[in-house]
Every structure is written in C-alpha cells, then in structure tokens.
Amino acid sequence: MSVMENMALTTQTSFFSTTSLPKSSFFSNKLLYSFPLSSSSYSSSIKQHLRLVSPKPIKCSVSEATEPIITEKKRQLIRRGDVRNIAIVAHVDHGKTTLVDAMLKQTKVFRDNQFVQERIMDSNDLERERGITILSKNTSVSYKDTKINIIDTPGHSDFGGEVERILNMVEGILLVVDSVEGPMPQTRFVLKKALEFGHAVIVVVNKIDRPSARPEFVVNSTFELFIELNATDEQCDFQVIYASGIQGKAGLSPENLADDLGPLFETITRCIPGPHIEKDGALQMLATNIEYDEHKGRIAIGRLHAGVLKKGLDVKVCTSEDSCRYGRIGELYVYDKFNRVPVESVEAGDICAVCGIGDIQIGETIADKVFGKPLPSIKVEEPTVKMSFAINTSPFVGREGKYVTSRNLRDRLYRELERNLAMKVEDGETADTFIVSGRGTLHITILIENMRREGYEFMVGPPKVINKKVNEKLLEPYEIATVEVPEVHMGAVVELLGKRRGQMFDMEGVGSEGTTHLKYKIPTRGLLGLRNAILTASRGTAILNTLFEGYGPWAGDMSTRDLGSLVAFEGGTSTSYAISSSQDRGQMFIGPGVDVYKGQIIGIHQRPGDLALNVCKKKAATNIRSNKEQSVILDTPLDYSLDDCIEYIQEDELVEVTPQSIRMCKNPKFTKKTR
C-alpha cells in the first residue's frame, strides 16, 4: 500500500470518515466519482483531508470556519456553550417532521404512557390533511447539559419565504436528504440560503432503511451541490449522519446504526456552534415570526442577539434608525420541550416569545429604550404568481358564508401580510377586487383554503405570472421542474413538457425501481395546470417538483388547455334525465340533485370551445303508461379539489369559493360566446 493511501486510511476528517466510500480508491489514478473540483481547490482539499489526527472524536471543521474573526468592534462577543439553535430543512417529503418526532420522543418530552399522534409538529388541520408542513414550528429538547432549540420548516418551494426568515434565528441547519432521491430542488434552495448566512451544515441521509437506498450516491451528489453553490473548503467538509427517522435510529455509517438518535445529538452539540452574543450589550431582538393568541394578542418570536430581556421592561421597537416607537414587554416565554413556558428573563442567544407589543411586525427590532439600535430587516425573494380576489357575485351569494363584503375581504387579505412576508396584496381595478401575489399557486391556494374555513365567500381568477421589462425586453419567470416518472410513461410526459416550452437538461435512472428523473427548465406559465396533466399522462405515477430559477426571455405563446367547458344556460336543480344526455358531450363535474345557476361550469367539453347545456330539464310527463321504466346509467362525476379548479380555469373563468362549496363559472365581464 502506498504512503498516500496509508495516510488516507488513517484520516478522520468528518466527510470521509462518515461515508461508506472505499477510501483507498480516493487517491487512485482517477478521481473518485469525478468530483468537479478545480486543480487549486482539489489540491487544497487534498491538503485538508490529509491532516493526520489523533483517534479523538472528530472535530468539525465547519465550526472552525464559522468562528468569527475577533475585531475591535466585536471584542465583547462570546459564544454560549449551553444552547444550540438549529433549523431542520429539506425537500418536501424527505422526513423532517418524522425525524423531529423521534427526537422529541427520545429526549423524554412526553410521558411513557402518553398518546402521541404522528407528525406532532404538523398541528394545523391543513398540514395534516395534505401531509406537508406549511408553517414553521418551534420546539426544544435537552441533551445532557445542552438545550437544543429546533425549528421545523416547510419543505415546499412555495413556502420558501418561511425558511428564509427562520435562518435568521439559527446558527446551523440539519439538511435532511432522502437516501434514494438525493438532493432535490428545494434542497438546493435551502442549502444556498444557509451557505449565504454562513451557517454550519450537518447532512442527514434519512430513510436509510429503504430497500433501494444508495447512500454513496446521495452523499456525493450533496457534495457536488456544495461545490456548485460555491461553498468554501471548510463548508464542503460537512459531517454526515445516516438515520431512519421512523425507526428513531442514527449512526456514522449506513451499516452501523445505533439503537437511538444519540450520534445525531452528539453531532449537533459538536458541529453546530453556540449562539454568538453580546451578553452585556444593549438589548437587541429581531421579530422573525408572529403568532396570534385570543387572550394575549400578538406574540413576537425571535432570537435575542444581545443583552437581557426581562418581563415588564420598557423597550424601543424600531424598523430603522429613524422609525422607532416605545412599548413594554407584557409576558415572556421560552420554548421548553413542546410548550411555551413563562419566564422572568431571557439571556442573549436563546429563542423566546414576547407578548405586550400589540402592533409589532415581522422584521422589527425590540431594542434597549436608550441605547438600542435596529438589526438589519428581513428580506425575502419577490413573488412570481398573482391572482385576483373579488367579492362573490353568483346567484348563490350569502347562502353559506359569514363574511361576504369587500370590506371583510380587504381586512382579511391585509391581515395576512402581517405574518406572510413573501405575499403581496394590491387594490385591483375596481373597489371590490384585490390582486394577491405569492411564490406559487400553492402559496395562494393555502390562503384561499384557510379563508373559506374561516367563513369567507369570494371569487378568484386564474393564476398569472408576474413578468418584468428590462431594457424594453419582456422577461418572464422560469423554474426548474424535476419529474420522477416510470419509464413506461416517460414518452407522454416528455411530449407534454415539450408543448409547454420546457427544455430538458438532465435525465438519469433512479435506483432499482425502474423510474427516471427528468430535469427541465420551463416557464412558470407552462406549470399552470401541469400537475393534473402529468398525473393523467402517467396514470397517477409521476411526481413533479419545481423551484424558481430566475427571469428569462419571453418563451412565446403556449396553450395550457386544449378542451373547452360545458356551461349551464339555465338555473335550477340538475336531473338524472338531463345529465344522462349531457354526459355524451364530455365529463361532468356534477351529479343529479345539485343546485346550479346560469353560467356555472358543469363539466369538461370533449372538444375545444365551450358548449352550453341544460342539465335541469325534466322528462316530459304523459298519460301513456310504459311497461318498463327506462333505466338511466350515469358516469361518476369528476371530483375537483380547490387546487384542481384553480389549475383548470382560464382567462374568462372564475372559481367561486364558499365555506362548503367550490364551484367554477364563466366570468360575466367577458362577452365570449358559447356555441
């Protein structure tokens, strides 16, 4: 064995000691897995990974990299050793919330005989129904003598604004990656933001118990992602932990998992630095999140950067140096296990919740009354999709809703802006119309669903992309679409994406499950209505994920829907007799015995263009007896959800949203003729 290979085998740096890579092959004639390193970065990486170390526990170079350089200005800054603030980030459905469940259970947050539901951090009804995290949640656990504040974040790209805010509160992240899928679009987004903040990163290869797990590929893909995002050599030397969140096990190698998550907790305390604070400085706390309580009012959540915060203290609330007002801390809470616990004071470095300042907004600083200065405000990326909200003008208005006026609608939309920084609301062309802009259709759809459950009635128009003009050139938003599809349906999906101006730039097989990963750069316009079309083309087997890429040149005209709508031209109650003859014209949205009104969309026409039908006509009564009643066979109507309806409608159509019903109708402002 060569001297270099021998040195490599005794090296215990964090990246190569925790992967199951054949270390002797790393220094063979060919680079292992062709890491895309330049010659200079490769040589520095070789020097870094050839350090001979004693057989002590691995020291994370990331924590060295994130140590601040002590300057004259920062002489009083110190590290707290008894607190760790971490965010758990990942692509949707890679197992963040399940991993947090296991961490809570193993640190004895719950009694042994206490019933605990799955995904306990997903406390919102919508989160449980959809199986995704929408709002970030705070909790804390105690491991040995260290308090670990954990923030569970959303995994869907439409809620990226929530993740961007949360990164202000933490010093490190757990980047959870699926052991089969590897880094996905949202993985790239959250990692890029974390590296910009200079945070320490621990890579958790989750779901390692899956039969087709490929940990070597996943770790190398993650390493390449770090390189693509211009991470420093120290940041690329990340610690890897292999885990099964559902089994509550973790380890330093995929073949040797411990019986619990002990290795994960040890790595957090060792690799994530404590908060960097100015203990005796002037009070500073940035409001990063807002919650509302019926009894306590607005609750500001954030990390205390400097000083000590006390209950009953008079403070200054600042947006900028010139814009400040005064307030008093009513009640003070810290996160202990799964609850908010009242305390008298909080030291710098901890995450706390503050009551008593009724008008506080996200991004404002709670500062010392005399010497306090504001912290930099929170900035998030601009929205890319907009939809119009208007009062309900259908004949069924007021049947189910509690709030139906434009004033109710306006107040609710502007109230949403107080905690949803990535969303924007503007007044529309008329007094009863408002334009809501967000990160994507799901971002706005979640708001619509919450509003209908609160008792609001309103109408929404089709989603439209937000274009820009630069140097007289029209630019539109583009996204990276990743489609995981079985090989048998790949042709139909490729054809569909091609029609929508998508450009394929990568294709690879995934594991032994016979599926293919397709990566496209596609205009955001092309994604409107695409999810349903892809599910139809692949018989429900394809998985579509998207991530905003940036603005590019206008891609040209495209058609997102080939078929027209079936429209009711008379109001009343639908009958079996009428539907039996109408269903030959296309697929119906309604069954018999349903109230409809003139202009309501009742189905999908089997041809382009709209067709007006009467689904309320009854069979003519005669005095002639028939020997046998004619049996009517009806097809099962299509059951479209709110998301499906918003994807379906076009420019001249609207979705009517009420607490109990979701209907589609033609927009009366358009004079488009139906044949």
Side-chain angles (χ1 to χ4, degrees):
M1 188 182 289
S2 67
V3 175
M4 188 169 285
E5 285 178 335
N6 192 35
M7 292 171 71
L9 286 171
T10 56
T11 303
Q12 295 189 25
T13 51
S14 55
F15 174 76
F16 290 100
S17 63
T18 55
T19 65
S20 58
L21 309 181
K23 296 187 174 88
S24 58
S25 67
F26 179 75
F27 296 103
S28 58
N29 293 331
K30 294 182 179 178
L31 293 182
L32 177 64
Y33 301 107
S34 304
F35 287 158
L37 295 170
S38 63
S39 57
S40 59
S41 61
Y42 175 65
S43 59
S44 65
S45 184
I46 293 291
K47 290 175 187 174
Q48 184 180 357
H49 291 296
L50 281 179
R51 293 192 303 262
L52 290 173
V53 296
S54 58
K56 294 178 182 176
I58 302 161
K59 178 135 175 35
C60 298
S61 59
V62 176
S63 41
E64 293 172 3
T66 51
E67 281 293 337
I69 300 170
I70 304 281
T71 60
E72 283 298 319
K73 190 178 178 182
K74 295 186 177 180
R75 283 203 185 277
Q76 299 173 345
L77 297 184
I78 59 170
R79 289 268 184 213
R80 271 190 76 173
D82 60 337
V83 173
R84 299 289 186 274
N85 299 318
I86 62 168
I88 298 188
V89 297
H91 187 80
V92 65
D93 204 31
H94 277 200
K96 299 178 303 299
T97 307
T98 305
L99 186 63
V100 175
D101 278 4
M103 295 172 77
L104 291 169
K105 288 172 184 173
Q106 292 190 16
T107 49
K108 302 297 181 187
V109 170
F110 310 107
R111 300 188 312 274
D112 291 337
N113 63 344
Q114 185 174 349
F115 170 74
V116 181
Q117 58 190 0
E118 287 185 5
R119 302 197 327 271
I120 190 164
M121 296 295 281
D122 286 348
S123 52
N124 186 305
D125 288 342
L126 263 181
E127 293 177 321
R128 295 205 152 276
E129 289 171 19
R130 291 171 179 254
I132 59 173
T133 303
I134 296 169
L135 304 171
S136 57
K137 316 282 192 321
N138 295 57
T139 187
S140 78
V141 298
S142 296
Y143 181 74
K144 296 184 176 176
D145 297 326
T146 305
K147 178 184 180 182
I148 304 174
N149 286 311
I150 301 171
I151 306 174
D152 184 22
T153 63
H156 203 286
S157 57
D158 283 21
F159 308 109
E162 197 87 4
V163 180
E164 288 178 71
R165 285 193 281 117
I166 294 313
L167 291 176
N168 281 281
M169 283 204 281
V170 299
E171 285 77 39
I173 66 168
L174 294 188
L175 184 70
V176 182
V177 186
D178 189 286
S179 65
V180 176
E181 295 179 352
M184 295 289 280
Q186 185 68 359
T187 313
R188 183 187 187 93
F189 172 79
V190 293
L191 179 60
K192 180 184 177 184
K193 294 296 177 186
L195 294 176
E196 286 173 2
F197 276 90
H199 288 335
V201 180
I202 297 172
V203 175
V204 180
V205 181
N206 196 24
K207 303 186 182 180
I208 199 68
D209 51 334
R210 286 182 69 173
S212 52
R214 43 181 188 164
E216 293 181 10
F217 167 81
V218 170
V219 171
N220 286 311
S221 300
T222 308
F223 181 68
E224 289 177 12
L225 183 58
F226 273 74
I227 300 295
E228 284 176 36
L229 296 175
N230 299 319
T232 63
D233 283 353
E234 289 80 9
Q235 287 172 325
C236 288
D237 190 22
F238 52 80
Q239 176 75 54
V240 181
I241 293 292
Y242 301 90
S244 170
I246 201 158
Q247 293 180 359
K249 295 181 178 180
L252 295 176
S253 70
E255 298 86 12
N256 188 20
L257 298 184
D259 293 332
D260 56 19
L261 294 174
L264 177 61
F265 287 118
E266 288 288 347
T267 306
I268 291 171
T269 56
R270 180 168 43 81
C271 292
I272 304 294
H276 197 222
I277 61 167
E278 191 176 351
K279 190 174 182 180
D280 300 322
L283 173 68
Q284 277 184 319
M285 173 190 149
L286 186 69
T288 314
N289 208 350
I290 295 287
E291 288 183 6
Y292 184 81
D293 185 277
E294 291 183 3
H295 305 291
K296 300 179 179 66
R298 295 171 72 81
I299 303 173
I301 300 169
R303 192 190 73 183
L304 196 58
H305 287 259
V308 178
L309 192 59
K310 296 181 179 177
K311 184 177 176 180
L313 186 69
D314 290 324
V315 294
K316 187 162 59 174
V317 182
C318 300
T319 306
S320 63
E321 290 276 3
D322 306 324
S323 174
C324 292
R325 59 190 187 281
Y326 295 97
R328 172 173 288 187
I329 305 299
E331 294 184 57
L332 198 55
Y333 299 89
V334 295
Y335 289 90
D336 182 24
K337 298 179 180 177
F338 201 61
N339 303 310
R340 275 202 299 256
V341 178
V343 290
E344 293 297 319
S345 65
V346 176
E347 291 185 8
D350 210 346
I351 292 174
C352 61
V354 175
C355 304
I357 305 173
D359 57 350
I360 193 163
Q361 304 283 345
I362 290 175
E364 293 187 327
T365 303
I366 297 174
D368 185 84
K369 189 176 181 181
V370 181
F371 304 106
K373 292 185 177 180
L375 290 160
S377 188
I378 298 170
K379 293 179 181 177
V380 295
E381 291 182 1
E382 293 292 308
T384 58
V385 174
K386 62 183 179 181
M387 292 172 65
S388 64
F389 283 53
I391 59 169
N392 189 0
T393 55
S394 84
F396 295 166
V397 61
R399 283 192 180 186
E400 302 167 6
K402 187 177 175 185
Y403 308 106
V404 296
T405 65
S406 59
R407 182 178 59 82
N408 295 144
L409 186 60
R410 179 191 178 86
D411 291 348
R412 177 62 181 85
L413 290 174
Y414 279 95
R415 194 163 71 243
E416 183 70 16
L417 298 182
E418 295 177 359
R419 69 166 315 282
N420 203 333
L421 283 191
M423 193 169 275
K424 290 186 176 179
V425 177
E426 301 165 337
D427 290 341
E429 296 176 358
T430 60
D432 54 11
T433 307
F434 307 93
I435 307 299
V436 179
S437 307
R439 283 284 185 86
T441 51
L442 181 64
H443 189 200
I444 304 176
T445 304
I446 293 296
L447 168 64
I448 295 170
E449 185 65 43
N450 280 324
M451 288 175 64
R452 73 179 279 249
R453 293 184 182 205
E454 292 167 16
Y456 287 85
E457 259 191 36
F458 52 98
M459 284 184 162
V460 293
K464 300 176 184 177
V465 298
I466 300 173
N467 299 321
K468 286 183 178 180
K469 265 201 171 183
V470 179
N471 298 328
E472 299 300 318
K473 288 185 178 179
L474 184 63
L475 304 180
E476 66 173 327
Y478 279 77
E479 304 202 25
I480 300 297
T482 306
V483 186
E484 188 178 323
V485 60
E487 290 178 8
V488 290
H489 300 300
M490 195 171 73
V493 171
V494 168
E495 183 184 356
L496 188 62
L497 287 160
K499 283 182 180 177
R500 292 172 178 249
R501 309 278 181 176
Q503 297 178 343
M504 186 195 296
F505 64 87
D506 191 18
M507 180 172 71
E508 63 175 352
V510 181
S512 59
E513 297 172 2
T515 56
T516 304
H517 258 154
L518 305 172
K519 289 188 179 178
Y520 277 80
K521 184 175 181 180
I522 185 170
T524 303
R525 278 185 303 142
L527 294 172
L528 303 178
L530 180 62
R531 202 171 299 271
N532 270 341
I534 277 189
L535 286 174
T536 304
S538 64
R539 303 199 177 178
T541 55
I543 300 171
L544 172 68
N545 292 295
T546 60
L547 180 68
F548 176 67
E549 169 76 4
Y551 277 81
W554 177 259
D557 294 331
M558 71 175 74
S559 173
T560 57
R561 197 178 92 192
D562 300 327
L563 304 177
S565 299
L566 299 176
V567 184
F569 71 73
E570 187 177 297
T573 303
S574 60
T575 64
S576 301
Y577 172 72
I579 290 176
S580 66
S581 57
S582 300
Q583 65 188 12
D584 297 333
R585 305 288 190 171
Q587 293 176 290
M588 305 299 291
F589 289 139
I590 63 168
V594 177
D595 289 342
V596 297
Y597 54 82
K598 184 179 179 180
Q600 182 176 333
I601 296 172
I602 53 174
I604 303 174
H605 192 200
Q606 59 191 4
R607 295 178 182 176
D610 297 336
L611 178 66
L613 294 173
N614 184 0
V615 289
C616 303
K617 64 182 177 182
K618 298 175 181 176
K619 188 176 181 181
T622 66
N623 61 353
I624 301 172
R625 288 186 182 175
S626 61
N627 295 328
K628 182 182 176 186
E629 283 292 327
Q630 187 180 359
S631 59
V632 176
I633 301 174
L634 300 180
D635 297 335
T636 304
L638 294 173
D639 185 17
Y640 265 25
S641 66
L642 174 63
D643 303 69
D644 297 330
C645 291
I646 286 172
E647 282 198 352
Y648 175 81
I649 59 172
Q650 290 192 315
E651 184 70 24
D652 63 333
E653 296 167 346
L654 297 169
V655 177
E656 179 191 353
V657 181
T658 69
Q660 297 172 26
S661 309
I662 296 169
R663 306 180 188 91
M664 291 179 284
C665 63
K666 304 304 284 188
N667 191 338
K669 292 181 182 177
F670 286 78
T671 56
K672 188 176 178 183
K673 296 285 184 183
T674 58
R675 63 181 179 84

